[in-house]
Amino acid sequence: MEGAGLSPVTLGVEAADPQAAATLARGLEGCDPALVLLFGSPRTALDPLARQLADGLPEACIAGCSSAGEIGPQGYQRGTVVAIGFPRRAFRARAVALRDQQAIPVSAWLSELRQLRDAFPPNPGWSRFGVLLADGTACHEDVVVAAIDAALPGLPVVGGSAGDGLAFEESCQILGGAVVPGAAVFVLVETALEVAEVSFAHFSPTARRAVVTRADPGRREIQELNAEPAAQEYARLAGLDPDRLERADFARHPLLLKTGRRHHVRAIRGLGEDGGLRLLSAIEPGTVLTLGQAGDVTEGFAAALDALPRPPLMVLGFDCILRRLAVEQAGMTEVMTDLFGRYRVCGFNTYGEQISGMHVNQTFVGLALMEPAGP
């Protein structure tokens, strides 16, 4: 049987179900999980559920976070908790909470990450990867990702910024059976399976560019573009009415930052004060941004996953909430659900995504788990 005893087990339950923890524990017990990842909304549902699950599965490393939506056995979901159990036969895991994300104690994080590495000696012949579940409201994912890359160079790391629906107010991170407020939870995973990073974005750059002439980096807010109020100038570049800007416009016309030969989205999450634009990523004065143009939100997604050397047993996926809103507005939810089912994608909708040492937006990132090529 394909992946027998090796493939992760994915379950989904309604967050409001009083038997949710018992249902998940029963479903996961058979795979004897070394690691359980929990993603769910609303954030208030995770604390009691994680505590009960930790009591029921005392040998498992349990990590998770609140979400802006879930990707479970039925595709896009809301108001649910998705649990992914990684069987001990093929996985090992240890985790650390990088606390006080708002305060950016980088030296402490580097020390904790190196201690985690040293206490987790590699298993010959197995692959390693990292999973990052950051506080999406602390606005310092760029620094967290850079710290991980410095402490664990060369390690494939994927992740998502925890959210709370579309409130953009407070998120929840879980480690073991406890909430770790304001932390970034990092999980170091080792597996007998083959792993491959996956990334897909549905946009292309246009010829229209703008310079950030005034910004508040701490609040991730652009106040002026081309020495004009940011929202007004953005609307002019995109051909939109500045008095009627909404999230759907931001999803269709993202701002892009060119790094090397690639463009990465600096997603707009809403309007700021005095005509500013609030972003989901860091921004600095003097940055040159290119106006992007969104294409089909599903076209190319299958091609990206078909390029894998073998069909995945599962894809751990982190999908930007702005991509989900674009999918729903385009009436493509069923198409995306079919694609998620075909490639066994499970994860959550994020306030930002992390891959290859970078924090990005409006992108699907994931880690494909495949049967090893050899015996």
Side-chain angles (χ1 to χ4, degrees):
M1 182 184 296
E2 183 188 78
L6 303 179
S7 181
V9 173
T10 304
L11 302 168
V13 295
E14 294 295 323
D17 182 354
Q19 299 300 315
T23 301
L24 292 178
R26 285 195 302 271
L28 294 168
E29 192 174 23
C31 82
D32 184 23
L35 168 67
V36 176
L37 293 179
L38 292 175
F39 309 126
S41 62
R43 60 180 172 76
T44 51
L46 285 182
D47 183 11
L49 192 149
R51 281 189 278 109
Q52 294 175 60
L53 201 57
D55 290 340
L57 298 168
E59 300 300 317
C61 172
I62 296 176
C65 66
S66 58
S67 72
E70 300 79 57
I71 306 171
Q74 284 76 49
Y76 282 142
Q77 301 172 193
R78 280 194 177 94
T80 64
V81 175
V82 170
I84 308 171
F86 296 80
R88 196 175 305 277
R89 179 184 173 196
F91 293 88
R92 299 169 63 221
R94 284 199 180 186
V96 63
L98 305 176
R99 298 179 185 273
D100 302 320
Q101 191 176 325
Q102 188 70 57
I104 328 179
V106 177
S107 295
W109 292 346
L110 289 169
S111 176
E112 289 164 345
L113 288 164
R114 288 165 180 153
Q115 288 175 23
L116 175 69
R117 175 201 62 196
D118 294 343
F120 195 56
N123 197 357
W126 285 34
S127 303
R128 288 194 160 197
F129 63 92
V131 177
L132 176 62
L133 308 175
D135 178 0
T137 62
C139 302
H140 293 304
E141 296 97 320
D142 306 82
V143 183
V144 177
V145 171
I148 294 170
D149 195 49
L152 303 166
L155 181 76
V157 177
V158 295
S161 303
D164 187 21
L166 292 173
F168 294 100
E169 292 177 356
E170 187 176 355
S171 68
C172 167
Q173 287 70 241
I174 297 288
L175 183 57
V179 173
V180 281
V185 173
F186 177 74
V187 189
L188 181 58
V189 187
E190 193 173 67
T191 179
L193 302 180
E194 184 176 345
V195 300
E197 292 175 297
V198 179
S199 177
F200 172 73
H202 63 284
F203 55 82
S204 58
T206 68
R208 284 160 283 180
R209 298 195 298 172
V211 179
V212 178
T213 47
R214 192 159 66 93
D216 184 340
R219 298 178 62 186
R220 290 182 170 175
E221 183 171 316
I222 302 175
Q223 295 158 337
E224 287 185 358
L225 285 171
N226 295 336
E228 298 286 350
Q232 178 182 312
E233 181 67 359
Y234 166 79
R236 185 189 70 80
L237 291 168
L240 301 169
D241 184 345
D243 297 322
R244 303 181 65 180
L245 292 173
E246 55 186 30
R247 283 197 178 99
D249 296 320
F250 304 145
R252 285 195 299 267
H253 305 281
L255 292 172
L256 311 180
L257 173 65
K258 189 174 183 180
T259 306
R261 297 183 178 181
R262 296 187 63 185
H263 285 85
H264 301 280
V265 175
R266 286 297 182 254
I268 305 168
R269 72 174 178 91
L271 297 174
E273 299 174 2
D274 301 321
L277 294 173
R278 290 181 176 170
L279 306 188
L280 288 172
S281 288
I283 195 69
E284 296 285 344
T287 302
V288 178
L289 297 173
T290 300
L291 186 71
Q293 178 176 297
D296 188 309
V297 288
T298 60
E299 185 179 357
F301 184 78
L305 290 167
D306 284 338
L308 294 168
R310 282 172 300 287
L313 297 174
M314 192 201 78
V315 177
L316 178 61
F318 305 93
D319 198 19
C320 182
I321 183 57
L322 294 181
R323 272 184 43 82
R324 175 168 177 165
L325 293 176
V327 167
E328 291 173 344
Q329 186 181 35
M332 304 288 283
T333 303
E334 288 189 13
V335 175
M336 206 69 213
T337 294
D338 290 343
L339 288 170
F340 285 155
R342 184 191 311 173
Y343 297 102
R344 304 174 187 178
V345 178
C346 289
F348 74 99
N349 294 116
T350 74
Y351 283 0
E353 304 78 55
Q354 293 86 45
I355 190 169
S356 301
M358 291 191 65
H359 173 63
V360 298
N361 298 133
Q362 218 161 324
T363 304
F364 173 93
V365 307
L367 190 97
L369 298 168
M370 301 165 290
E371 290 191 80

